[in-house]
Amino acid sequence: MSQTFNARHLNVAAFTQAKAAISGEELLQNYERLAQELQAPAPDLTLKWQATGESRTAVDGSVRPAIHLQVQANVPLTCQRCMEAVHTPIDVDRHFIFVPDEATAAAMDDDSEDDVLEMSADFNLLGLIEDEVLMALPLVPRHDSCPAGVVQSAQTDDFKDVGEEKPNPFAALAALKGQKP
């Protein structure tokens, strides 16, 4: 009998034991936090993902339930040099090992190459996908070479000549210091 799995309410133990696979193609706008990072509303952009249940050896040598997650997207962000759209390819390929409780996860996570999470019978895989894509975004998105030249000057028509001599605000103090009583 084949079992159907729901990405919003995933029973991790059953999913990994069945070595099942689920996948989807979702609109970027469906991910609220991710949509806030977009340069402009993009109703037709999608994010493709696939999750596979498996067993994986943890850092303590035990074989644990795991999920292999792969996500691909092309996200329009704002270039921090020219402020135009820069399409940033995102490619997530991660393994997540599941353990019985939060304390075990915290103890194993520091030494593990894979993320270690607490086992859940109602796991939100779509929330994990959004978290992973957000962490994969560049801190400072920018073009390798901006399509429009970047203006690197703050000078305006009413800006005074930089070479112009300005009066010293402490000139009066200097004059007083020079006088002897």
Side-chain angles (χ1 to χ4, degrees):
M1 177 177 147
S2 123
Q3 194 171 4
T4 304
F5 294 99
N6 180 342
R8 285 203 192 283
H9 304 282
L10 186 64
N11 182 329
V12 175
F15 182 73
T16 57
Q17 186 176 12
K19 299 202 181 311
I22 56 175
S23 61
E25 186 168 337
E26 314 267 337
L27 292 173
L28 285 175
Q29 294 295 344
N30 292 346
Y31 295 91
E32 185 178 330
R33 292 177 295 144
L34 182 56
Q36 292 174 5
E37 298 295 322
L38 301 179
Q39 197 228 14
D44 59 339
L45 293 175
T46 60
L47 175 143
K48 295 179 183 178
W49 60 270
Q50 178 177 347
T52 308
E54 58 185 33
S55 295
R56 195 158 169 88
T57 304
V59 293
D60 64 357
S62 63
V63 176
R64 304 279 184 163
I67 292 178
H68 181 202
L69 178 66
Q70 296 171 300
V71 183
Q72 294 83 33
N74 194 2
V75 182
L77 302 173
T78 302
C79 174
Q80 296 301 298
R81 278 191 281 215
C82 69
M83 304 309 285
E84 297 294 324
V86 56
H87 290 275
T88 307
I90 301 296
D91 190 20
V92 174
D93 190 351
R94 308 233 350 124
H95 293 270
F96 299 90
I97 294 176
F98 290 86
V99 295
D101 55 57
E102 190 66 38
T104 306
M108 291 176 67
D109 197 38
D110 287 342
D111 298 327
S112 179
E113 288 183 26
D114 301 326
D115 283 333
V116 182
L117 303 173
E118 181 180 9
M119 181 71 75
S120 173
D122 190 24
F123 184 72
N124 185 354
L125 182 61
L126 297 180
L128 178 66
I129 290 169
E130 183 175 30
D131 289 345
E132 290 301 313
V133 171
L134 285 168
M135 287 191 289
L137 294 177
L139 291 175
V140 181
R142 62 179 181 228
H143 295 103
D144 291 332
S145 177
C146 293
V150 178
V151 178
Q152 297 187 1
S153 174
Q155 189 169 351
T156 60
D157 292 338
D158 59 341
F159 193 76
K160 292 186 178 180
D161 186 6
V162 176
E164 183 180 308
E165 188 66 33
K166 295 182 179 167
N168 183 348
F170 298 103
L173 291 175
L176 289 174
K177 187 176 179 184
Q179 295 177 359
K180 295 196 177 191

